[in-house]
């Protein structure tokens, strides 16, 4: 009887190992959202409407980059103002408060008043102490290089970013002079990426060369800058995840009387872009989760391989203590 049982055991199949429990999904932080606010003089009030609609729908940018008018709104937003506070500031803003004309410089705006206004609004904090990471983009006059200010005097950086050539005096910072960032980066998508953004929402309010003759000196200067930066701007905008374009192209660059309409156009454009923003964020998060799962699976497989090899390595080491031949050969095969 015992022989029969032994024979049955010998001929039986080896039991399958228990299935490995499924790995829990890795924790993937949400994408870091960047907001790139473009230049466009008085049309920049549209940025407030965009921010207002984004936040009302639970989309809160983590980092902010601004060029020219976008740097003004961006600095105040990064300092901690909510959209309603921004709107209150916009409605109450007296244009004369930020326009300091110097006759002996050819009637150019000096820009010190704008610098002091911004510094007052942000509590005189430098850029690195604002609540959100912030970058103001300007153009180095001597070389034409794009310069991204991420630390230092907030108002001064905004003034440099907003110094429209022919309208504002260039701003001297250190040994260089700076003018409007719209010359090289009309919508600062790349600056938002530099701040660590995974997903960039760009707001384009820049003027386009439409074939119509611009009105007034500021209109001429504004269109000239648009022509210079248009090709560069198109290339940079292509690197954004979503581009919002408020319908303010026919607004004059100095038309402060239409600020409420500009804010409303920003709200409407952002509302229309919400499905694209949400879809893009979901797609990015799904891809990041898949990448994290793949990394986790590789790390788990490597750990299992090391664990499986460990008993053989220990047996080899134990055998080497009494087998002179194995001591000479070593245990490289099982290490």
């Amino acid at each position: 009887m015992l022989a029969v049982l032994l024979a049955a055991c010998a001929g039986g199949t080896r039991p399958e190992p228990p299935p490995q429990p499924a790995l829990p999904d890795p924790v993937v932080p949400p994408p870091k959202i960047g907001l790139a606010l473009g230049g466009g003089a008085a049309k920049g009030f549209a940025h407030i409407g965009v921010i207002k609609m984004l936040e009302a729908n639970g989309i809160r940018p983590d980092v902010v980059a601004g060029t020219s008018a976008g740097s003004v709104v961006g600095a105040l937003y990064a300092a901690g103002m909510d959209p309603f506070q921004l709107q209150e500031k916009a409605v109450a803003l007296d244009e004369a408060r930020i326009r300091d004309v110097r006759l002996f410089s050819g009637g150019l705006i000096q820009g010190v008043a704008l610098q002091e206004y911004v510094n007052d609004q942000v509590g005189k904090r430098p850029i690195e102490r604002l609540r959100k990471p912030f970058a103001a983009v300007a153009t180095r006059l001597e070389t034409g290089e794009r310069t991204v200010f991420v630390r230092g005097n907030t108002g001064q950086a905004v003034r440099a970013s907003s110094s429209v050539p022919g309208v504002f005096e260039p701003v001297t910072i250190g040994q260089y002079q700076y003018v409007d960032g719209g010359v090289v980066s009309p919508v600062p998508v790349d600056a938002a990426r530099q701040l660590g953004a995974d997903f960039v929402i760009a707001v384009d309010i820049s003027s386009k060369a439409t074939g119509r003759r611009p009105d007034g000196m500021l209109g001429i200067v504004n269109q000239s800058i648009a022509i210079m930066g248009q090709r560069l701007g198109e290339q940079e905008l292509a690197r954004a995840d979503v581009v919002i374009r408020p319908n303010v192209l026919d607004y004059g660059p100095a038309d402060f009387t239409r600020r409420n309409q500009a804010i409303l156009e920003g709200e409407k454009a952002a509302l229309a872009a919400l499905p694209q923003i949400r879809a893009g964020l979901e797609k990015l998060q799904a891809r990041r989760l898949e990448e994290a799962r793949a990394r986790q699976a590789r790390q788990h497989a490597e750990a299992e391989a090391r664990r499986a090899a460990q008993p053989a390595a220990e047996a080899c080491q134990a055998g080497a203590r009494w087998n002179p031949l194995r001591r000479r050969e070593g245990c490289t095969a099982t290490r």
Side-chain angles (χ1 to χ4, degrees):
M1 186 66 177
L2 179 61
V4 173
L5 290 174
L6 289 174
C9 289
T13 58
R14 182 176 297 178
E16 292 290 331
Q20 292 292 326
L23 294 174
D25 267 342
V27 177
V28 180
K32 184 179 287 188
I33 300 173
L35 187 61
L37 303 176
K43 293 181 288 186
F45 291 110
H47 292 317
I48 297 172
V50 170
I51 294 170
K52 188 176 176 183
M53 191 56 61
L54 291 178
E55 289 223 346
N57 286 273
I59 298 169
R60 294 177 172 81
D62 301 288
V63 303
V64 187
T67 290
S68 196
S71 73
V72 180
V73 176
L76 272 56
Y77 180 51
M81 286 191 190
D82 63 40
F84 294 97
Q85 290 173 311
L86 289 173
Q87 186 165 349
E88 287 177 0
K89 295 291 182 183
V91 171
L93 178 63
D94 180 4
E95 186 185 353
R97 186 177 175 187
I98 59 173
R99 178 175 290 181
D100 47 355
V101 177
R102 294 216 298 186
L103 297 178
F104 63 83
S105 66
L108 297 181
I109 297 173
Q110 186 180 10
V112 174
L114 173 63
Q115 176 176 325
E116 291 177 349
Y117 172 80
V118 171
N119 278 334
D120 285 344
Q121 300 306 313
V122 304
K124 302 189 186 305
R125 284 173 290 169
I127 295 174
E128 62 270 25
R129 290 184 55 200
L130 301 180
R131 292 190 182 179
K132 295 179 186 285
F134 170 68
V137 178
T139 304
R140 186 181 293 179
L141 188 58
E142 291 82 358
T143 62
E145 292 178 36
R146 180 184 71 113
T147 302
V148 181
F149 292 100
V150 294
R151 61 179 59 86
N153 187 309
T154 303
Q156 189 178 51
V158 169
R159 175 187 170 196
S161 181
S162 306
S163 292
V164 179
V167 178
F168 281 75
E169 293 179 1
V171 180
T172 301
I173 302 176
Q175 58 182 327
Y176 298 107
Q177 288 190 312
Y178 297 91
V179 294
D180 195 295
V183 175
V184 292
S185 181
V187 187
V189 175
D190 293 340
R193 296 278 187 206
Q194 285 177 241
L195 290 174
D198 304 307
F199 188 92
V200 176
I201 302 169
V203 186
D204 181 18
I205 56 169
S206 58
S207 298
K208 305 294 186 291
T210 59
R212 295 194 302 269
R213 181 179 298 175
D215 296 326
M217 184 190 73
L218 186 56
I220 294 170
V221 170
N222 201 51
Q223 181 142 318
S224 299
I225 293 174
I227 292 169
M228 287 187 289
Q230 196 161 336
R231 186 59 57 85
L232 286 173
E234 290 171 358
Q235 295 172 358
E236 193 165 358
L237 279 171
R239 294 190 284 274
D241 295 282
V242 175
V243 179
I244 298 175
R245 290 186 171 92
N247 186 22
V248 293
L249 292 183
D250 63 337
Y251 288 33
D255 191 356
F256 280 69
T257 64
R258 302 177 73 180
R259 66 188 80 185
N260 286 323
Q261 294 97 313
I263 292 171
L264 181 59
E265 290 297 339
E267 292 179 17
K268 288 161 60 177
L271 183 62
L274 283 175
Q276 185 184 2
I277 293 171
R278 288 201 175 100
L281 286 169
E282 289 173 4
K283 183 178 179 181
L284 175 59
Q285 188 70 349
R287 186 173 74 241
R288 286 155 57 96
L289 179 59
E290 285 304 311
E291 291 170 353
R293 284 171 175 162
R295 283 194 303 272
Q296 184 186 59
R298 286 196 302 270
Q299 292 166 357
H300 180 72
E302 291 167 1
E304 287 295 310
R306 287 193 298 270
R307 205 160 25 244
Q310 191 63 27
E314 290 173 354
C316 179
Q317 295 294 339
R321 285 196 289 272
W322 57 266
N323 188 331
L325 179 61
R326 179 161 297 186
R327 277 203 302 272
R328 288 197 300 270
E329 293 176 350
C331 296
T332 56
T334 56
R335 281 179 186 169

